[in-house]
Amino acid sequence: MTTTEPSRIGTTFASIDPRDGTTLAEYPVAGPEEVALAVERARAAARWWATQGPRGRKEWLLEYKRAVATRSDELADLITAETGKPTEDSLLEVLLTVSHLEWAAKNADKVLRRRPVSAGLLMSNQKAYVEYQPYGVVGAIGPWNYPAFTPMGTLSYAMAAGNAVVFKPSELTPGVGVWLAEVWDSLGASQPLIQTVTGDGSTGNALCHAGVDKMAFTGSAATGRKVMAACAETLTPVVIEGGGKDAMLVDADADIESAADQAVFGAMGNAGQTCAGVERIYVHEDVKDRFVETFTAKVRALDPGMTAASSYGPMTLAGQVDIVRRHVRDALARGGRATVGSDDSVGEKLIEPVVLVDVPEDSTAMTEETFGPTVVINSVRDLEEAVDKANAGSYGLGGSIFTKDRRRGLALAEKLDTGMVSVNAFLAFAGIPSLPFGGSGASGFGRIHGADGLREFSRPKALTVQKFPAPLNLMTMTRKPRDLRVVRWMLANVQGKM
């Protein structure tokens, strides 16, 4: 078997090692009935989870975290087998996964507990509170490029917020999803707080229609629209992370060595299969040649391949190869130049690095998500121009800015139409559990991670308690003329002059 696409035998499909095409395991294609049963079980699990209270949920999740960390080599090996990425990259993914799980477990109660808020002058006789309650059952559809870290960014925060979850992993990485649920079951809990349903797009569609209380999706913008359309039929709220076309901005005063090193990791790491990776680099014209020379030398030193020691591995999704080839050819046909590689670098499974320069801004290599080990470097007069070009596309996930002037870096970061920006680093925001993760435009909406991620999987609830009778009794059908005179006075002399 030579394809990395999942093969189906009856009602099962095979998980394939993209490095050599061997079958790793067979998994069932869950249909609507199986998915509905999983959601029904999740409802019982959510009720049990509520009885554990904040302290109990924290202890269960920390035990789960310890179990995942203890078996980290096992999980890393499985990630590598299903994605083809080097083992050390898989271990880094596991580390990030448990870090976020730990933060969610330890901070959920503090973020979501009932807290008082100001009632204002008009309602000063009331004590006001806001609290956050779980949805109940959260459905999650995960990607294949980071099959543990990305979906656990949803699952960790959803569970910590008090929900049970039903997870449909990518058909390319079903084993990781099954493993995550099995480790929870190994803890001896009486309820399956995490359930994994395997299958293809039909299984994901069934999950959208199975009556979950909220759906979280990570994947392409096109599939995200389909998920939204399916969930709209029942007004099921969704959070969407739909990929990106992230830009790195390099100013004239930047540390070129550091910027180039970070850019190589962002553009080529995981074979470029990173939603918040580096796909475009805008460099100040004064240092563009020096940056290209430094960056090119670092890229040429990479050794992609099929071994554990390789810089990066093969493409996990075979169909993505054609997209990468099309983007490279379009860039070259439109007048761009390749300083490393060419369209011949795009092999059947493995893509050698391709570095393109001076590519027109309307080329598909600049406007569409490539999701491969390629990158475009264009020069700009200044970083204000770079911001304008970075904002011109439809995606708005993340970005990075390199400059020695940190104040200027933060000012420019505010102008980028993205959900996340790191100054003098690549992807630092994803490694900090307290920061929200998400984008805008074609990159989707809603947030995972951090306090915003906990609230994303909670319903805010407003509460009031009367402290004493209102001096102005306005909430009645028999208002007194005196009270209405006071209202008119307040409108004219208080609200009208503030």
Side-chain angles (χ1 to χ4, degrees):
M1 191 175 296
T2 59
T3 179
T4 58
E5 304 287 359
S7 65
R8 285 158 184 80
I9 304 173
T11 58
T12 67
F13 68 99
S15 172
I16 306 299
D17 188 327
R19 296 169 295 184
D20 56 18
T22 59
T23 297
L24 298 170
E26 295 279 344
Y27 295 92
V29 177
E33 290 186 2
E34 292 91 343
V35 174
L37 285 172
V39 172
E40 184 178 337
R41 289 191 294 268
R43 295 222 172 275
R47 290 191 291 271
W48 166 80
W49 196 227
T51 67
Q52 304 304 300
R55 179 175 296 180
R57 290 192 291 272
K58 174 183 174 181
E59 292 305 317
W60 273 111
L61 290 175
L62 289 178
E63 185 177 353
Y64 182 50
K65 184 266 299 187
R66 288 189 289 268
V68 173
T70 300
R71 299 169 61 178
S72 58
D73 286 336
E74 180 183 333
L75 177 56
D77 288 345
L78 183 54
I79 293 171
T80 292
E82 290 196 319
T83 66
K85 67 177 67 176
T87 303
E88 61 184 42
D89 288 355
S90 298
L91 278 171
L92 175 60
E93 180 176 347
V94 176
L95 175 61
L96 290 170
T97 299
V98 298
S99 296
H100 278 270
L101 178 55
E102 179 181 43
W103 191 93
K106 291 183 175 180
N107 288 274
D109 182 43
K110 178 174 62 177
V111 171
L112 303 176
R113 68 175 58 163
R114 181 186 302 167
R115 69 176 189 273
V117 296
S118 172
L121 178 63
L122 182 63
M123 303 296 290
S124 59
N125 70 310
Q126 300 287 333
K127 187 71 174 177
Y129 303 90
V130 63
E131 67 181 22
Y132 296 87
Q133 297 182 340
Y135 278 95
V137 178
V138 171
I141 300 176
W144 46 263
N145 57 333
Y146 293 93
F149 171 64
T150 301
M152 282 298 288
T154 291
L155 305 186
S156 297
Y157 293 83
M159 292 186 298
N163 303 281
V165 294
V166 179
F167 173 40
K168 189 272 173 188
S170 166
E171 52 265 50
L172 299 180
T173 54
V176 174
V178 169
W179 189 94
L180 292 171
E182 288 178 345
V183 171
W184 170 265
D185 292 339
S186 73
L187 303 181
S190 63
Q191 294 290 333
L193 193 65
I194 306 174
Q195 295 178 81
T196 296
V197 290
T198 58
D200 53 15
S202 66
T203 305
N205 185 58
L207 184 57
C208 292
H209 289 93
V212 297
D213 300 301
K214 185 158 189 174
M215 177 64 68
F217 169 81
T218 303
S220 70
T223 305
R225 294 184 185 97
K226 295 178 181 179
V227 169
M228 286 185 64
C231 291
E233 296 176 16
T234 52
L235 290 181
T236 301
V238 296
V239 53
I240 302 287
E241 197 267 274
K245 189 70 180 177
D246 289 5
M248 174 182 286
L249 283 55
V250 182
D251 211 349
D253 68 343
D255 181 333
I256 298 301
E257 179 70 22
S258 176
D261 186 66
Q262 294 278 293
V264 171
F265 179 63
M268 304 299 168
N270 199 32
Q273 299 169 120
T274 302
C275 56
V278 175
E279 296 209 1
R280 301 176 290 163
I281 305 176
Y282 293 108
V283 185
H284 194 289
E285 59 188 7
D286 290 350
V287 295
K288 190 243 185 148
D289 291 343
R290 185 155 62 95
F291 178 86
V292 170
E293 180 181 357
T294 304
F295 180 80
T296 297
K298 292 179 179 293
V299 170
R300 290 187 186 279
L302 297 177
D303 182 26
M306 306 292 187
T307 71
S310 299
S311 301
Y312 63 80
M315 300 296 284
T316 305
L317 178 62
Q320 196 68 26
V321 171
D322 292 335
I323 296 174
V324 175
R325 182 182 293 109
R326 175 168 59 85
H327 287 189
V328 172
R329 286 178 174 172
D330 184 70
L332 296 174
R334 301 286 301 282
R337 297 182 295 107
T339 63
V340 177
S342 67
D343 58 348
D344 291 335
S345 302
V346 183
E348 181 182 352
K349 294 181 180 179
L350 187 69
I351 299 179
E352 299 285 340
V354 180
V355 179
L356 303 162
V357 297
D358 304 330
V359 176
E361 290 294 318
D362 59 352
S363 167
T364 54
M366 298 296 287
T367 60
E368 298 179 10
E369 187 175 33
T370 304
F371 226 56
T374 72
V375 69
V376 174
I377 306 174
N378 283 348
S379 63
V380 290
R381 295 184 308 274
D382 50 45
L383 257 60
E384 282 71 21
E385 181 188 3
V387 168
D388 290 340
K389 289 185 174 181
N391 288 343
S394 61
Y395 291 99
L397 189 56
S400 54
I401 298 171
F402 283 78
T403 172
K404 290 182 179 176
D405 187 340
R406 286 182 289 180
R407 181 175 297 179
R408 172 169 163 76
L410 286 171
L412 291 166
E414 291 181 357
K415 297 178 180 179
L416 282 176
D417 294 337
T418 62
M420 307 162 291
V421 183
S422 289
V423 177
N424 292 328
F426 161 70
L427 207 64
F429 45 75
I432 300 175
S434 57
L435 288 177
F437 187 102
S440 60
S443 294
F445 53 87
R447 295 295 182 267
I448 59 174
H449 300 177
D452 291 278
L454 290 167
R455 296 189 188 103
E456 187 73 53
F457 299 105
S458 309
R459 292 187 178 99
K461 190 167 191 174
L463 302 170
T464 64
V465 177
Q466 181 171 288
K467 297 185 292 185
F468 50 83
L472 295 178
N473 191 11
L474 303 176
M475 304 298 183
T476 176
M477 300 299 289
T478 56
R479 301 181 188 95
K480 297 178 180 178
R482 178 188 68 82
D483 291 346
L484 291 176
R485 287 195 298 271
V486 174
V487 168
R488 290 190 176 95
W489 181 88
M490 290 179 65
L491 287 170
N493 295 282
V494 180
Q495 299 298 338
K497 295 181 179 180
M498 290 178 66

